[in-house]
Amino acid sequence: MENNVQGRIHSIETFGSVDGPGIRFVIFVQGCAMRCQFCHNADTWDGSKGQLRTPESLVKQALRYRPYWGGEGGITVSGGEPLLQMDFLLELFRLAKKEGIHTAIDTAGQPFQDHGPWFEKFKALMQLTDLVISDIKIMDPAAHKKLTGVGNANIHKMLRTVSDLGVPLWIRQVLVPGVTDSPEGLRAERAFIDTLDTVEKVEVLPYHTMGAYKWEALGLHYPLAGIDPPTPEQVQAAEAILVPGKDKNSKQTA
């Protein structure tokens, strides 16, 4: 019987090399409730826009590129916020796993709920997910709300749940000078990461301004105007705190 679920899609990248292992077919979904000041995809925020696509059509399109994926590649769903389209994700990954495709979700975790029907769907989704990629914006709750428009308590719950369910995690930190680079904040983040059991990789991503033009095109004020990307030395200093294996006090290796 045909499934009528559809996803609202912003764009497709057929040869992604950074959003998961190997070469990835990256599906960027439309819609996000967060308003991160450093967002470089502000054009994905409006959940009423984008193109409606069925999971079947997307898996069929992805399979055309499978010869290029190598042994590690697969499908990554990014955004926007993938977890806002749970039914679509479930069907997409169900079809992908039938084809033996590696599946990854790049999520900020904002929609996470630890109870009710949504949580049951999340647990089912994790059974179909090979990797969760998530960035921890900033640990301090008040600073997080100022930076993103939402709190971070449920986001931390999501990360812990993913870990408890045994799903591998890649953690990312966007490094914004003067905003997310305080040593105290990074040390608190490292302490939190060390409580998670399935973290395979921690990455520091230098803030950039390549998405600022999208804010201007949408008629929005870009809140980080005037802030330059971090220097290599600033990135290295953050990695020494955050990335396992980068400092001698690490309890694990990268």
Side-chain angles (χ1 to χ4, degrees), residues 35-73:
R35 294 295 179 264
C36 301
Q37 293 183 1
F38 51 76
C39 182
H40 59 274
N41 285 324
D43 53 337
T44 67
W45 287 351
D46 188 344
S48 68
K49 296 184 176 179
Q51 181 185 15
L52 288 173
R53 295 283 303 272
T54 65
E56 290 84 358
S57 72
L58 287 162
V59 171
K60 184 177 179 181
Q61 183 181 355
L63 287 172
R64 297 179 203 160
Y65 301 92
R66 192 170 197 166
Y68 304 101
W69 292 350
E72 294 186 319

Side-chain angles (χ1 to χ4, degrees), residues 107-135:
T107 173
Q110 176 274 328
F112 181 77
Q113 302 172 28
D114 62 353
H115 58 276
W118 194 96
F119 187 48
E120 295 305 313
K121 289 182 179 180
F122 181 80
K123 289 190 289 186
L125 178 65
M126 289 299 100
Q127 293 182 348
L128 300 168
T129 302
D130 296 308
L131 173 67
V132 172
I133 304 168
S134 190
D135 55 342

